[in-house]
Amino acid sequence: MKVLVIEDDAQIVESLALTLQIRWPEVQVVSTHLGVEGVELAESEKPNVIILDLGLPDMSGFDVLKQIRLFSSVPLVVLTVRTEEDNIFKALELGADDYMVKPCGRLELLARISVRTRGSGSKISGGLPIYYGSFCFNPSTRQLLCHNKEVGLTTIEAHIIHCLMKNAGQVVTYSKLAEETWGDNDPGILDSLRVHIRRLRQKVELDPDHPQFIVTKPGTGYSLAKP
Ligand code: CA
């Protein structure tokens, strides 16, 4: 298990390393405070996962992400103090797999890194495609067909859709969704569940501001309406 941390705050790097050692005593943490070096290390060190800060002294974390995605699909989690959804969306758009807002709890961090390093997402264990209305999700390939259009999903989005489709027509609680997606339902994770749902809606809903497919049940969770 090798983790590349691209972050210019030495205290955060140290605390990340200590936290990672709780779950992976043998973890090897490689770190740099520079984006340029981060891109190089992503190529030369072949880490299992990358944790990337957006505010770096030499270049923007978004540009680091873009460059890394030119040659690698390594799981990458953005770590940021920026809570604006625009920033988070942009990071996900550029190919980040997940994001965490600093300061981030240890359990949340470990839950998210665990999901990222579970390889091809062992929780989605394959199986036959699931159909619901004009949607079809194939757990083996993690492909979603939506009105005959193929929708690209991140691993996290695939977990969410899989859980909703398995329970189509019923309300799936926030904590159940978080549990199935991250193996944890820490309150911090529920916040990001909302962000991922918003992003999913932008991909599958005809009018994301008035969702017809992923419907919110206020205070409880989400349910999938027949498209
Ligand atoms: Ca920073």
Side-chain angles (χ1 to χ4, degrees), residues 3-227:
V3 181
L4 170 60
V5 182
I6 308 172
E7 159 70 77
D8 60 329
D9 183 329
Q11 277 191 339
I12 291 179
V13 176
E14 198 185 326
S15 110
L16 282 172
L18 287 172
T19 303
L20 292 166
Q21 277 163 11
I22 298 172
R23 179 141 330 159
W24 300 278
E26 307 287 308
V27 69
Q28 191 186 344
V29 177
V30 182
S31 71
T32 172
H33 66 289
L34 292 176
V36 171
E37 204 181 10
V39 175
E40 285 167 13
L41 290 170
E43 194 159 24
S44 61
E45 293 287 326
K46 309 254 180 303
N48 302 95
V49 63
I50 296 177
I51 300 175
L52 170 67
D53 177 25
L54 288 181
L56 295 166
D58 62 332
M59 62 193 278
S60 138
F62 292 121
D63 290 332
V64 175
L65 174 55
K66 266 191 241 172
Q67 294 196 15
I68 290 175
R69 279 293 174 255
L70 292 177
F71 61 84
S72 168
S73 57
V74 59
L76 188 148
V77 177
V78 160
L79 187 64
T80 177
V81 288
R82 306 177 193 179
T83 53
E84 304 88 30
E85 286 193 348
D86 283 357
N87 277 308
I88 294 162
F89 281 11
K90 185 173 173 192
L92 296 172
E93 195 71 61
L94 290 173
D97 296 280
D98 201 1
Y99 77 96
M100 294 183 288
V101 175
K102 294 189 261 195
C104 168
R106 290 190 162 192
L107 288 178
E108 184 181 349
L109 175 89
L110 290 176
R112 284 164 182 251
I113 302 293
S114 296
V115 164
R116 308 296 355 135
T117 52
R118 245 184 248 147
S120 51
S122 57
K123 275 209 154 182
I124 300 180
S125 47
L128 296 171
I130 307 174
Y131 294 88
Y132 192 63
S134 52
F135 285 74
C136 170
F137 177 69
N138 186 337
S140 303
T141 59
R142 281 190 254 145
Q143 264 179 351
L144 179 71
L145 277 178
C146 158
H147 306 295
N148 289 323
K149 196 182 81 189
E150 202 174 293
V151 178
L153 299 180
T154 64
T155 317
I156 300 260
E157 289 164 355
H159 277 281
I160 292 172
I161 280 291
H162 190 227
C163 184
L164 288 172
M165 286 195 65
K166 277 190 304 184
N167 299 285
Q170 301 166 37
V171 178
V172 184
T173 62
Y174 300 124
S175 59
K176 180 175 169 144
L177 260 177
E179 186 75 47
E180 292 235 348
T181 305
W182 289 282
D184 194 354
N185 57 22
D186 195 76
I189 287 184
L190 297 188
D191 282 342
S192 70
L193 176 61
R194 276 188 275 274
V195 173
H196 287 285
I197 289 276
R198 247 197 75 175
R199 202 169 141 66
L200 253 177
R201 282 175 170 154
Q202 292 191 334
K203 295 185 177 182
V204 304
E205 300 279 359
L206 299 172
D207 178 1
D209 291 330
H210 301 92
Q212 307 287 307
F213 178 50
I214 304 172
V215 183
T216 304
K217 299 289 164 187
T220 313
Y222 300 97
S223 85
L224 210 55
K226 209 165 203 138

